[in-house]
Amino acid sequence: MSNFNRRRFLKASAAGGIACAMGHVPDTVFAEFAGNDTFSDYKALVCLFLFGGNDSWNMVVPSSTAEYNAYQTSRQSLAIPQSSLLPIAPLNPDGAQYGFHPNMPELQQLFQAQHCAVIANIGPLLEPIATKDQYANRSVALPPQLFSHNDQQDQWHSLKGNMQSRTGWAGRIADQLVSSTAAQQLALNVSLAGQTLFQAGAQAVPYTMGAAGPVAFSGLTGTDALSMARRAAFTTIVNAEYGTVYERGYADVQKRALLYSDRVNTALAAGPTLATVFPTSNLATQLRTVARLISVRDRLQMSRQIFFVSTGGFDTHDNQVDDQPGLLGGISAAVNAFYNATVELGVSQSVTTFTQSDFGRTLTSNGDGSDHAWGGIQLVVGDAVIGRKFYGAYPQLSIGSARDVGGGRFIPIVSSDQYAATLARWVGVPDANLNTIAPSLGAFPGARDLGFMM
Amino acid sequence: MSQTSDAWIDAQLTVPASVQLPSVQAAYALLAQPVTNIGQLHNDRVAAWFQNSVRGPDQLRQRVAFALSEIMVVSQVSLNGYPYAVADYYDLLARDAFGNFRTLMQDVTLHPAMGVYLSMLGNRKPNVTLNIRPDENYARELMQLFTVGLVQLNLDGSVKLDAQQQPLPTYDQNTVEGFAHVYTGWRWAGAASFNASRASLINQVQPMQAYVEEHDTGSKVVLSYSGAALSTIPAGQTPAKDLSDALDNIFNHPNVAPFIAKQLIQRLVTSNPSPQYIERVATKFNNDGNGVRGNLGAVVKAILLDTEARATTTVSTAGKVKEPLLRLTQIWRAYNANSSSNVLNLANLGAIFGQGPLQAGSVFNFFSPGYAPPGEISTQNLVAPELQIATEYLNTQTTNYFLTMSLCYVPTPVTGVGCPAVRADTVVLDTAAELALNGDSAALVDKIADRLLAGKISDTLRAQARALVDRAPLTSPSLRVAEALYLIASSPEFAHQQ
């Protein structure tokens, strides 16, 4: 049904145009057709990847005296002053009190207004780890190459565990939804920040644009005879047969660029002007473009989208005290502007932004920074989020405590597989298929969904 | 070529390095407000890179230095205030390109550009009271990215597996911490003490200096492997002796040969070398024939003269995607490009090509050696690292640059297409030979194919280019040349290095 628009077909039939012709079709068939093969609503996930490994123990910090003192003793010069923390009041208190980093007032307010959830002590796991003895004895399976940037990025992107993987979990969602999103005029996965394993599917191919949107091929869009001839020649060349995988791979990119850039730019040019003011940062530019793309979702016939945006600099081995405020402040301001834009567009219930990062960092200092660790904190933002709550469990931030495997490296209590599955279910993957998205999910029976999405 | 390839390589191995630092230092004198504008010297650094890469007599050395700069990565992104150090770091790579790998390891480790980039510079010994432990950044990446990699390798680059068919790790966190303790006590040279040590224009280009008061003197765990001289560095040694023992320990690990052989093959010849090719080169790394381990000149020669590098029949995995920046240098070289100020440079390389010399976004380079785009490359378990930056966006940017170049950066820019004004630093191609063939579209296209495709142009590209040339009026030779140059420069076949 490659050229057949199921969504429009169903709308047309629901309106009565061909309903009588369908009268003899068994209800079950019709229900399956309607239920699995198309979406009547719109949903989008926005992955914000914090490259380098965000030191998130400084992003949401214990503020009650006993817990703060443990934190301060561990972190020493890396600790955020207690009095500067921005207080929050979770609806599911764990006995301690917490605050956001002082440069994150926007996210503090989004949390308090129930638009933001905190997932505490999350990271790659292959199965639950109850004690650090299990880690020390290797009596549980562990993700390979813990503490290595690219390997742990790949874990978050692909959830591959001990396996090789050439696909990411967003790519696999796109593969799953390929028939129900067949009418979409743009790839389900769009990146504003380069190509990642996260969005690579077995069949579904992501589309990468610049932070400010797609760029058109100059010299190929004119309507004069020479421009049209040039475009025809260029098109013939990229569609020719080539003898090597490299030429074919390169030509495939050019073909997608030709196909999508004009289509998206045309849609964007006809879209509404956003009133929401975004800060001036590359991340904010990316998120503004995402908001603009969402604003033209109907023109592009999009019902499901996954966007990838990113910002870097979080590998704070050095100068952490100087660099971290700007990094965290940048996230807070940009994510808040994006949330406001989704409100402006009336899609705040339909768009969920979530963070990922290589790993958490050591509580201990190396003198003026922190090193690679494991569990950390992620944030989820949007009006489909059951916000103002903590999920997972915030650990005791003292050296040698129950889940510290050394130097303040924490064994996660919840896994990135559970996180991905929770988001995948929300975006439309049936429960039966979630293990394809999150391959280690079977090791977490009874907790396949972390419960932070409505 | 009058010489044989063998003789050409031998001659190139002896040509001394063309360097960048002197021109960066010369530019400093012309800098207004040098303290605040020091980062502008990176423009001069990049101009020196273009000068050496396009025109240097040490072409092979420069090419290998560029490959090394994508393995042992430092970046202007974090070193904007240290243009001398970054230029000198590249010069180090050029000087050491055909030397011994152990020397390269030593020089890279102690260079302040690397010291700042991966925070070994300023790394202190532990302080138990303050929960301070040594910085693990350089300890981890020297092993993971520059020398041995994460998993144990056979000589042919294949991964060693345990009984459960899982890769055997090369080291663990304890090893990282051991090396982190080794790399304590080093800071900018020339000071009376660690705490008094500060950066200057002089010590930016000198090896870091050890300050014993911040060096950890305990014993240190290092790599353990069959044949290792030691697996623990004893307590009480000097910083220099600790470093020497530690780098020897890494250098002699059996992974280094296949790990470096494969990456250099990938950078220079093909993305998907056969295991046999890797093994032949790794064998040369382990022994150059004269009993020397780590002879990079011999390794480079083995890579370039291998039967797999020089096969005359093309298989679908032969070669690689040519890096976009190297497409530009190839065009500039082929067309004797120059500006009226005699400087070769181009602004915003990252935005146009997704890369620039020592300008990667992280120590993981512009692209990963294991990158595979979705589709046949991925499903056949192949890789195409350079395609990671061939996004729809960046490919379009590069393609658009080639259009502007073809129309505008030529002896007589095409009129009526909005060409920017030619400035003193605008790099212009010498297309006189093509312009002389204005009336003969077939000869014109073949002339460009000779220069950019070694004469091997596909029938489709030739026919399309010819037809497009013939649609442009004979009265506009610049436009006719531009149409053909654009289609060829932006073609999949020009993006492929055989």
Side-chain angles (χ1 to χ4, degrees), chain A residues 114-182:
Chain A
Q114 302 185 35
H115 308 311
C116 170
V118 168
I119 321 296
N121 203 8
I122 180 171
L125 289 173
L126 303 188
E127 57 181 309
I129 303 178
T131 69
K132 61 182 174 186
D133 286 346
Q134 291 178 322
Y135 169 85
N137 303 333
R138 299 296 191 266
S139 61
V140 286
L142 299 175
Q145 308 300 348
L146 288 169
F147 321 128
S148 149
H149 282 294
N150 53 349
D151 293 84
Q152 297 311 304
Q153 286 168 12
D154 282 358
Q155 287 292 356
W156 277 99
H157 285 158
S158 70
L159 308 173
K160 66 193 171 88
N162 273 321
M163 312 300 287
Q164 295 285 321
S165 182
R166 295 290 177 102
T167 61
W169 64 268
R172 293 193 294 274
I173 290 176
D175 286 339
Q176 290 255 335
L177 301 184
V178 68
S179 67
S180 43
T181 57

Side-chain angles (χ1 to χ4, degrees), chain B residues 84-132:
Chain B
Y84 279 25
V86 179
D88 189 62
Y89 182 83
Y90 202 95
D91 293 344
L92 174 174
L93 298 178
R95 285 193 199 95
D96 286 1
F98 303 139
N100 194 280
F101 190 75
R102 176 66 179 80
T103 307
L104 177 66
M105 286 174 65
Q106 180 92 14
D107 291 347
V108 162
T109 298
L110 290 183
H111 199 285
M114 183 60 80
V116 173
Y117 192 61
L118 292 183
S119 53
M120 174 176 158
L121 189 149
N123 186 21
R124 294 172 190 265
K125 69 182 180 185
N127 179 327
V128 176
T129 319
L130 295 178
N131 281 332
I132 290 174

Side-chain angles (χ1 to χ4, degrees), chain A residues 58-333:
Chain A
N58 273 9
M59 184 169 75
V60 179
V61 181
S63 58
S64 39
T65 303
E67 289 78 12
Y68 181 83
N69 286 347
Y71 159 86
Q72 207 284 328
T73 302
S74 302
R75 303 226 78 176
Q76 297 288 333
S77 63
L78 299 180
I80 308 297
Q82 187 176 13
S83 61
S84 70
L85 296 168
L86 305 176
I88 52 174
L91 297 172
N92 57 345
D94 67 357
Q97 288 168 351
Y98 298 91
F100 269 83
H101 186 281
N103 285 58
M104 305 185 89
E106 301 90 349
L107 277 167
Q108 176 220 16
Q109 285 154 27
L110 286 175
F111 181 89
Q112 286 295 91
Q114 302 185 35
H115 308 311
C116 170
V118 168
I119 321 296
N121 203 8
I122 180 171
L125 289 173
L126 303 188
E127 57 181 309
I129 303 178
T131 69
K132 61 182 174 186
D133 286 346
Q134 291 178 322
Y135 169 85
N137 303 333
R138 299 296 191 266
S139 61
V140 286
L142 299 175
Q145 308 300 348
L146 288 169
F147 321 128
S148 149
H149 282 294
N150 53 349
D151 293 84
Q152 297 311 304
Q153 286 168 12
D154 282 358
Q155 287 292 356
W156 277 99
H157 285 158
S158 70
L159 308 173
K160 66 193 171 88
N162 273 321
M163 312 300 287
Q164 295 285 321
S165 182
R166 295 290 177 102
T167 61
W169 64 268
R172 293 193 294 274
I173 290 176
D175 286 339
Q176 290 255 335
L177 301 184
V178 68
S179 67
S180 43
T181 57
Q184 297 196 156
Q185 297 293 298
L186 178 61
L188 186 146
N189 272 298
V190 166
S191 174
L192 291 287
Q195 311 200 54
T196 65
L197 183 58
F198 176 61
Q199 295 188 310
Q203 291 97 39
V205 179
Y207 173 61
T208 302
M209 57 180 73
V215 59
F217 283 105
S218 47
L220 302 185
T221 51
T223 51
D224 60 292
L226 189 56
S227 292
M228 290 170 70
R230 193 186 288 139
R231 186 182 181 100
F234 188 91
T235 305
T236 301
I237 290 163
V238 298
N239 282 287
E241 300 273 331
Y242 290 97
T244 66
V245 296
Y246 313 108
E247 290 161 293
R248 294 197 286 266
Y250 180 87
D252 284 346
V253 180
Q254 298 285 60
K255 282 184 251 181
R256 279 196 301 279
L258 270 178
L259 174 68
Y260 286 139
S261 65
D262 294 343
R263 186 182 286 177
V264 174
N265 280 327
T266 302
L268 286 175
T273 304
L274 282 176
T276 303
V277 176
F278 280 75
T280 51
S281 70
N282 186 272
L283 175 61
T285 303
Q286 294 173 52
L287 286 168
R288 184 171 183 276
T289 303
V290 173
R292 292 181 64 221
L293 291 163
I294 290 171
S295 79
V296 296
R297 63 195 178 279
D298 288 341
R299 287 178 190 280
L300 295 170
Q301 299 176 261
M302 306 305 288
S303 57
R304 288 295 183 272
Q305 292 189 276
I306 303 177
F307 298 97
F308 182 84
V309 300
S310 82
T311 180
F314 290 85
D315 193 23
T316 49
H317 291 279
D318 246 358
N319 304 319
Q320 176 165 318
V321 172
D322 292 335
D323 294 346
Q324 193 178 34
L327 294 168
L328 295 178
I331 300 170
S332 183

Side-chain angles (χ1 to χ4, degrees), chain A residues 242 244 247, chain B residues 309-315 318-319 322 330 445-462 488 491-498:
Chain A
Y242 290 97
T244 66
E247 290 161 293
Chain B
R310 303 175 63 78
T312 46
T313 53
T314 301
V315 296
K322 198 183 296 166
Q330 185 188 345
V445 169
D446 286 345
K447 180 68 189 170
I448 299 172
D450 283 346
R451 298 220 218 199
L452 297 184
L453 298 169
K456 290 186 286 185
I457 186 170
S458 70
D459 292 344
T460 300
L461 182 54
R462 178 189 275 125
I488 291 172
S491 68
E493 50 207 275
F494 183 61
H496 177 226
Q497 176 192 308
Q498 282 189 341

Side-chain angles (χ1 to χ4, degrees), chain B residues 71 437 471:
Chain B
I71 299 171
L437 296 168
R471 291 198 68 121

Side-chain angles (χ1 to χ4, degrees), chain B residues 390-413:
Chain B
T391 65
E392 292 83 1
Y393 176 70
L394 280 170
N395 262 16
T396 309
Q397 294 278 84
T398 306
T399 301
N400 288 349
Y401 173 79
F402 287 147
L403 180 68
T404 307
M405 173 193 81
S406 303
L407 291 168
C408 305
Y409 305 145
V410 291
T412 310

